[in-house]
Amino acid sequence: MPALTRRTLLKASAATAASFALGAGLAARAGTAAPLALNARFGTAKLVEGGAETRVMTWALGDEAAPSGAPPILRMRKGQPFAVRLRNELDEPTTVHWHGLRIPNAMDGVPEMTQAYVYPGDAFDYAFTPPDAGTFWYHPHCNTLTQMGHGMTGVIVVETPDDPVFDAEIVLNLRDWRLGADGAFIAPFKPRDAARGGTYGTVRTANWQRAPQFEAPAGGLVRLRIAATDVTRIYTLGIDAPAAILALDSNALAAPRLLDTLDLGPGQRADIVVRMPDGEGQVVTIGNLRGSNPWTIATLVARGASLKRDQRDAGPLAANPIAHPDIASAQRIPLDVTATAEHTAGTSICGSLGYTFWAINKVPWPGDTPDPVAPLAELKLGQSYVFEIANRTPHAHPIHLHGLTFHILSSNKRTILPPPTDTILLQPDEQAELALVADNPGDWMLHCHIIEHQKTGMSSFLRIV
Ligand code: C2O
Ligand code: CU
């Protein structure tokens, strides 16, 4: 277990203690009867030290008047019905997409494709039963660079009684903000960056706090549920304490793997178990080691007498019921991720950035219009498919597929293949084989989760009939 080599650079700043059990944020569990009220609304949050409060976009649960923190953590149970009523109190249309959940197409939250826009003052009922446990997240699928950029990225925890019990659980929602020193939003992107790796934020937060500190039982096993919900940033996580990866993108590793560093792209999640130090007051640092200036994401401080847990007590998480594709009979479909020279873009109720820089199979997505382009492929329900995906660009792209989970069969850039996933962080020039069973009917978006890439062409969809 290598220690963080640059740990001296990783200094915790803010110190906000949260409870052992849930970490920061509000937790909510759906009852069986009335749907939860999820109100999309404006709020204010203190994000810039010395600056004014920022006017954010977020969701409030029920009547919570003036939301000021990260969106509520939505807690669901595997195999149990969940229902929310989204009410739009913003001044523009919105929807909710449940990233990673394999639910019916009509609940997928893509305007013009799976549902109508939810206009200001309107409501929409989402009801579904999550088939898988794990760490997921939710966000709008309309004018996303603005709505997500201004706050609308929340974490979903789907619990299962089959999981091992930990001494504490901490949920971390990682994201940046593009703010000026006065706390006001600045231009959401720069075209020249959108045509490259994407435009980074200026303020980096976990749970809308800068380097928050959490308390955890000394010598205990802590389950971290980390979601990279930023519109651009790819993280390289490192932890300066014994830690192991339990699950990636909601799917369990067959056996926990010691954490060295872990790349996590926009849309991806990691469940990690950390063994806390034995001494009261000892601090564990979760850092971002990407680039030349590592920084602290959050810290954990050990509290109480040591529980003296053995890291090997953290067994594997329960597997989700993902179908196994029949590779021999699978039809193979190429997916080429490219840059394009075309510089036109359609207008859309859900916002257009006004540029086209990217394409999938040579077709740039024209925006969320009533007549989208044809599907990349029409798949037969129940059949197996292998996608031969090729990143023909010098940039990494977190490619996300809605409504289904795929297996990564091979890659020219990896020695260790991750568990089944909904989002592959495709490395520059990576070529990989992705296999799935087309077991969920409907139109499912496939797009880069660097939102500037998605909104400038790197988006399409698969049709399963
Ligand atoms: Cu996180 Cu189109 O989704
Ligand atoms: Cu991309």
Side-chain angles (χ1 to χ4, degrees):
M1 185 62 225
L4 286 190
T5 47
R6 290 161 283 183
R7 67 185 288 181
T8 45
L9 292 172
L10 295 167
K11 288 227 170 67
S13 51
T16 311
S19 76
F20 283 178
L22 291 173
L26 209 65
R29 182 175 286 122
T32 39
L36 277 176
L38 189 67
N39 301 313
R41 63 170 64 146
F42 291 99
T44 51
K46 185 86 174 137
L47 297 165
V48 171
E49 253 157 85
E53 295 213 305
T54 301
R55 186 170 188 250
V56 295
M57 290 171 141
T58 184
W59 298 272
L61 274 182
D63 290 328
E64 186 202 352
S68 62
I73 295 165
L74 298 179
R75 286 189 179 261
M76 309 175 185
R77 292 238 158 132
K78 177 180 173 178
Q80 305 275 313
F82 176 84
V84 291
R85 173 162 298 169
L86 167 72
R87 189 170 291 286
N88 185 358
E89 299 173 8
L90 302 170
D91 57 4
E92 60 179 65
T94 192
T95 60
V96 179
H97 169 60
W98 315 90
H99 183 122
L101 293 182
R102 299 186 299 137
I103 55 180
N105 199 234
M107 297 290 110
D108 196 45
V110 180
E112 299 286 14
M113 186 169 284
T114 71
Q115 69 165 92
Y117 302 100
V118 183
Y119 285 98
D122 284 354
F124 188 89
D125 287 327
Y126 292 97
F128 50 80
T129 299
D132 303 315
T135 305
F136 302 83
W137 65 297
Y138 63 109
H139 61 79
H141 225 282
C142 186
N143 200 19
T144 39
L145 195 58
T146 297
Q147 293 184 15
M148 292 168 65
H150 287 205
M152 301 178 87
T153 65
V155 179
I156 296 170
V157 171
V158 182
E159 299 170 344
T160 171
D162 302 335
D163 272 356
V165 176
F166 297 87
D167 301 311
E169 176 178 296
I170 294 170
V171 177
L172 293 175
N173 179 348
L174 309 189
R175 58 164 299 153
D176 298 349
W177 306 80
R178 279 187 56 77
L179 301 171
D182 60 354
F185 284 102
I186 57 175
F189 76 105
K190 298 177 189 160
R192 74 183 293 279
D193 288 346
R196 294 179 172 80
T199 312
Y200 287 88
T202 59
V203 174
R204 307 177 294 220
T205 60
N207 300 353
W208 292 26
Q209 296 167 286
R210 303 230 239 167
Q213 185 166 82
F214 301 88
E215 299 191 321
L221 295 175
V222 179
R223 179 180 187 163
L224 298 177
R225 293 178 180 269
I226 303 177
T229 76
D230 190 53
V231 293
T232 308
R233 183 179 298 282
I234 298 166
Y235 297 82
T236 299
L237 302 176
I239 300 179
D240 63 351
I245 304 169
L246 298 170
L248 293 171
D249 302 332
S250 324
N251 286 297
L253 275 64
R257 187 168 81 228
L258 282 185
L259 175 74
D260 179 4
T261 61
L262 175 67
D263 288 351
L264 214 57
Q268 297 195 292
R269 296 85 64 201
D271 286 68
I272 293 172
V273 59
V274 177
R275 204 289 192 173
M276 290 297 291
D278 293 305
E280 159 77 27
Q282 282 185 284
V283 173
V284 174
T285 298
I286 303 160
N288 180 33
L289 305 184
R290 204 172 182 87
S292 46
N293 292 302
W295 43 274
T296 296
I297 291 171
T299 54
L300 314 177
V301 57
R303 290 290 180 227
S306 176
L307 298 179
K308 299 220 165 68
R309 295 284 295 261
D310 186 328
Q311 196 187 341
R312 287 165 299 188
D313 292 349
L317 301 181
N320 287 320
I322 313 294
H324 291 281
D326 174 15
I327 307 300
S329 76
Q331 187 190 330
R332 303 179 79 87
I333 299 172
L335 284 181
D336 274 11
V337 172
T338 56
T340 175
E342 186 174 325
H343 282 266
T344 55
T347 53
S348 162
I349 292 178
C350 279
S352 163
L353 304 193
Y355 296 88
T356 298
F357 297 124
W358 308 98
I360 300 179
N361 286 357
K362 299 217 157 55
V363 180
W365 184 250
D368 305 311
T369 60
D371 310 295
V373 297
L376 282 168
E378 216 171 272
L379 314 185
K380 287 207 187 62
L381 189 63
Q383 295 288 107
S384 294
Y385 293 86
V386 173
F387 294 92
E388 297 171 345
I389 194 165
N391 179 2
R392 309 208 184 272
T393 82
H395 304 282
H397 299 285
I399 303 291
H400 170 50
L401 175 62
H402 287 208
L404 296 118
T405 296
F406 54 86
H407 303 254
I408 302 176
L409 297 183
S410 74
S411 157
N412 64 339
K413 295 278 176 185
R414 302 165 196 254
T415 42
I416 308 174
L417 297 174
T421 181
D422 52 74
T423 309
I424 178 173
L425 179 56
L426 213 56
Q427 300 299 325
D429 303 311
E430 182 170 2
Q431 297 184 23
E433 291 178 305
L434 315 178
L436 56 75
V437 179
D439 54 6
N440 199 359
D443 286 349
W444 301 109
M445 294 216 78
L446 175 93
H447 62 84
C448 180
H449 227 291
I450 292 176
I451 305 298
E452 291 157 78
H453 292 177
Q454 177 193 0
K455 299 291 274 183
T456 56
M458 200 179 285
S459 185
S460 193
F461 72 105
L462 298 173
R463 173 165 292 160
I464 299 178
V465 288

